[in-house]
Amino acid sequence: MVSVAVAGASGYAGGEALRWLLQHPEVTIGSLTAGGNAGSRLGGIHPHLFGLADRVFDETTADVLAGHDVVLLALPHGHSAAVAEALGDDTVVIDCGADFRLRSESAWTSFYDTPYAGSWAYGLPELALAGGGSGRDALSGARRVAVPGCYPTAVSLALAPGLAAGVVQTDDVVIVAASGTSGAGKAVKPHLLGSEVMGSMSLYGVGGVHRHTPEIEQNLAAAAGSPVTVSFTPTLAPMPRGILATCTAKVSAGVSATEVREAWHAAYSGETFVHLLEPGTWPATAQVVGSNHVTVQVTFDERAGRVVVVAAIDNLAKGTAGAAVQCLNLAVGLPESTGLLGSGVAP
């Protein structure tokens, strides 16, 4: 059995990680830590996690986290580096925050206000890479893994196959994506009150300023083998979970609709969690709620000369905690899908 501690276990990402770990057949759940909720009973914060209801959150310290096979960090951005530095190489550390996702220091300092901490193995196994291979290649046996952001997961899985196959161009990529409110975390924010969100969609992070922009560009450049610049507009939808990403890009000269679809089919035909839907069926967040699965559809708008690719994920599952467990499996040598094969919840 693999012993796993979760730091930041009182938040949405930490609670979702515990939901997956509770059903993992090869895991024992060790120390659970929190910030302001340290000393609180877990059942009072996550009443749905019945198997852990009587556990009490510890303070987040290296001493509490030490001695586990895996430490999963679900901390606010900028807080993971100090904790990880205090843990030895004998511990696998998986970070759900942004601290180690970006390979470019300048990209980090342009979008974040904490010192650059470096980069770790990037935890998106299904990411198609230029020249062949996938993101999975860097994850087997990794001791430090950075879990992707939720928007970058959806957008990268939507667009990477076309860029890796050369069937779409890199110079005019446009993304509009809608997220549920849990993506903003569990802290109380006036603009996320039910009375503000229900019955209304809104924009935020408009004009290239959302922090996931450089991560999206990094992933798409890895797929294309050359720089990719994106126009990314996030929106807030009146739902607790889910991301629906609608992405468009110019089709390369001479490429047919058949070649477009074949690029996505070739990338995902052997994947467990990414599903290219039948033509005419489009992704919806309801298809994937509560699951580690991703639904994708692509079509060629011949009149505009563009592909339209849509991907749906659960932002807390494949977008965060499910991905963390998938990376955990790869890092410790377990079958990648262990504990993750559950279906979504409907209605």
Side-chain angles (χ1 to χ4, degrees), residues 73-85 93-109 111-123 144-149 211-212 214-215 218:
L73 303 177
L75 302 171
H77 298 321
H79 289 70
S80 296
V83 176
E85 188 176 4
V93 184
I94 298 175
D95 184 22
C96 291
D99 293 33
F100 299 99
R101 294 173 186 162
L102 297 181
R103 290 189 289 273
S104 166
E105 182 173 358
S106 63
W108 175 269
T109 55
F111 284 83
Y112 292 89
D113 57 5
T114 56
Y116 181 63
S119 64
W120 289 354
Y122 189 75
R144 298 289 188 270
V145 178
V147 177
R211 286 178 167 181
H212 286 173
E215 187 182 346
Q218 173 180 280

Side-chain angles (χ1 to χ4, degrees), residues 31-327:
S31 297
L32 307 178
T33 78
N37 288 310
S40 300
R41 179 175 168 272
L42 186 142
I45 305 294
H46 298 306
H48 62 298
L49 299 177
F50 297 105
L52 298 170
D54 292 329
R55 297 284 294 274
V56 175
F57 295 113
D58 293 315
E59 295 279 354
T60 301
T61 68
D63 287 343
V64 170
L65 298 172
H68 296 85
D69 299 313
V70 177
V71 172
L72 194 155
L73 303 177
L75 302 171
H77 298 321
H79 289 70
S80 296
V83 176
E85 188 176 4
L87 297 171
D89 289 340
D90 57 332
T91 302
V92 173
V93 184
I94 298 175
D95 184 22
C96 291
D99 293 33
F100 299 99
R101 294 173 186 162
L102 297 181
R103 290 189 289 273
S104 166
E105 182 173 358
S106 63
W108 175 269
T109 55
S110 295
F111 284 83
Y112 292 89
D113 57 5
T114 56
Y116 181 63
S119 64
W120 289 354
Y122 189 75
L124 190 53
E126 303 92 347
L127 180 65
L129 300 177
S134 70
R136 184 172 289 108
D137 302 337
L139 294 171
S140 180
R143 309 305 292 174
R144 298 289 188 270
V145 178
V147 177
C150 51
Y151 279 126
T153 295
V155 170
S156 302
L157 293 176
L159 288 168
L163 291 164
V167 301
V168 300
Q169 300 178 34
T170 61
D171 62 339
D172 185 10
V173 177
V174 179
I175 302 152
V176 179
S179 174
T181 56
S182 60
K186 201 168 187 178
V188 176
K189 303 176 181 69
H191 71 285
L192 297 178
L193 293 173
S195 56
E196 301 290 335
V197 173
M198 289 187 296
S200 177
M201 284 194 67
S202 59
L203 297 167
Y204 68 103
V206 181
V209 300
H210 193 281
R211 286 178 167 181
H212 286 173
T213 301
E215 187 182 346
I216 291 170
E217 293 182 340
Q218 173 180 280
N219 293 353
L220 298 185
S226 60
V228 177
T229 301
V230 306
S231 172
F232 170 47
T233 303
T235 69
L236 185 66
M239 59 186 184
R241 287 175 177 251
I243 285 177
L244 189 72
T246 303
C247 314
T248 76
K250 292 179 182 177
V251 173
S252 300
V255 171
S256 68
T258 298
E259 290 171 310
V260 165
R261 185 163 185 86
E262 178 54 32
W264 272 262
H265 180 267
Y268 295 139
S269 61
E271 291 293 347
T272 300
F273 297 114
V274 185
H275 309 277
L276 179 64
L277 301 179
E278 291 297 318
T281 303
W282 288 91
T285 56
Q287 297 163 348
V288 296
V289 168
S291 82
N292 198 53
H293 295 279
V294 185
T295 53
V296 178
Q297 184 58 278
V298 58
T299 193
F300 183 9
D301 181 346
E302 296 190 50
R303 180 176 173 274
R306 303 180 72 86
V307 293
V308 180
V309 196
V310 179
I313 68 169
D314 183 326
N315 59 295
L316 290 179
K318 182 59 173 170
T320 310
V325 174
Q326 192 174 348
C327 292

